[in-house]
Amino acid sequence: MKEAVSILKAAGFDLIVLETSGIGQSDTEILDHSDVSLYIMTPEFGAATQLEKIDMLDFADVVAINKFDKRGALDAVRDVKKQYKRNHQLWDADDDTLPVVGTIASQFNDPGTNNLYVRLMETIKKKTGVDFHSTFHAHDEMSEKVWIIPREEPLPERDQREQSAGMMPRCRSRRRSRINSTGCTRLSHLRGTGSARKLMGRLAAG
């Protein structure tokens, strides 16, 4: 690791990012090779008492809780912030000022990931004196899953005439469909997904 970092420094890179493959609970050697440390975890760490075993919560400059759309993510942020306060003896600190951020890295323009970037830029400037002059400004929002609902297929011309006349269009597809006020919504575009299987099961039962 040390030799690789020396080569990159000699090449003149402004910023060098070291990524570990998972350091475990008690491995903090990465701190010997970095100026700023970011610890990434998920909400699925188990009971809150398990946080006491994670040494990086003592040393990390910023903590990111990724997969923030998972169940229990809000509780995880609360527990990690409590543990961070204990480790750093920040008993009176406001939770919003703690460097613990929930993110959904797989989501485009995720507010949590944007906030994480801003915190990292500020931390780098504070600890190293290097200012990358980033003009990006993040909004003070929390990550949440954004679901994109596919647009319904247009109704056939005959069904459109029947609908305009106040009649309910008939479902001509052999596939099971959900009938609503706009007619028949095919589920073929959801085939293979968990939501489709659940909905198909309900239709079969009903």
Side-chain angles (χ1 to χ4, degrees):
M1 177 76 74
K2 185 176 181 180
E3 291 76 8
V5 173
S6 299
I7 293 173
L8 294 174
K9 285 183 177 180
F13 287 100
D14 295 326
L15 179 65
I16 301 172
V17 179
L18 305 177
E19 181 182 2
T20 67
S21 58
I23 62 173
Q25 293 179 330
S26 60
D27 193 351
T28 58
E29 293 181 3
I30 191 65
L31 298 172
D32 298 332
H33 307 282
S34 59
D35 297 312
V36 176
S37 58
L38 165 66
Y39 182 62
I40 302 176
M41 57 189 300
T42 67
E44 301 161 336
F45 51 76
T49 53
Q50 296 296 318
L51 296 173
E52 299 176 3
K53 303 177 183 179
I54 302 178
D55 288 346
M56 278 301 294
L57 293 181
D58 287 323
F59 303 104
D61 298 299
V62 183
V63 178
I65 303 178
N66 196 33
K67 300 182 179 180
F68 201 64
D69 53 327
K70 295 289 186 180
R71 180 178 298 179
L74 291 175
D75 294 335
V77 169
R78 178 201 61 204
D79 292 339
V80 171
K81 287 183 176 181
K82 285 183 178 179
Q83 188 64 43
Y84 190 91
K85 283 184 176 181
R86 295 190 196 100
N87 293 357
H88 296 267
Q89 298 184 0
L90 301 174
W91 311 113
D92 298 326
D94 186 357
D95 284 356
D96 293 335
T97 64
L98 299 177
V100 180
V101 185
T103 64
I104 307 176
S106 61
Q107 183 166 268
F108 175 75
N109 199 27
D110 173 57
T113 305
N114 293 340
N115 285 325
L116 175 62
Y117 168 79
V118 172
R119 283 183 179 271
L120 283 175
M121 292 298 101
E122 293 174 349
T123 304
I124 290 174
K125 181 179 179 180
K126 180 179 179 180
K127 294 198 67 176
T128 68
V130 177
D131 188 357
F132 287 104
H133 302 287
S134 175
T135 59
F136 181 81
H137 297 284
H139 299 287
D140 189 16
E141 300 176 5
M142 184 176 294
S143 289
E144 62 178 350
K145 189 68 174 179
V146 177
W147 300 98
I148 300 177
I149 303 175
R151 184 178 60 181
E152 293 185 353
E153 297 179 4
L155 295 174
E157 183 178 352
R158 180 177 176 180
D159 287 347
Q160 291 180 7
R161 291 198 302 268
E162 292 178 353
Q163 187 181 49
S164 62
M167 300 171 59
M168 177 64 70
R170 292 180 294 274
C171 293
R172 297 185 178 84
S173 173
R174 293 184 179 180
R175 300 187 180 96
R176 299 183 187 273
S177 302
R178 173 174 55 85
I179 302 177
N180 54 28
S181 59
T182 61
C184 305
T185 302
R186 293 185 178 180
L187 301 178
S188 57
H189 63 284
L190 293 174
R191 186 174 297 278
T193 66
S195 299
R197 287 193 295 270
K198 292 179 181 178
L199 187 53
M200 297 284 272
R202 292 175 184 172
L203 288 171

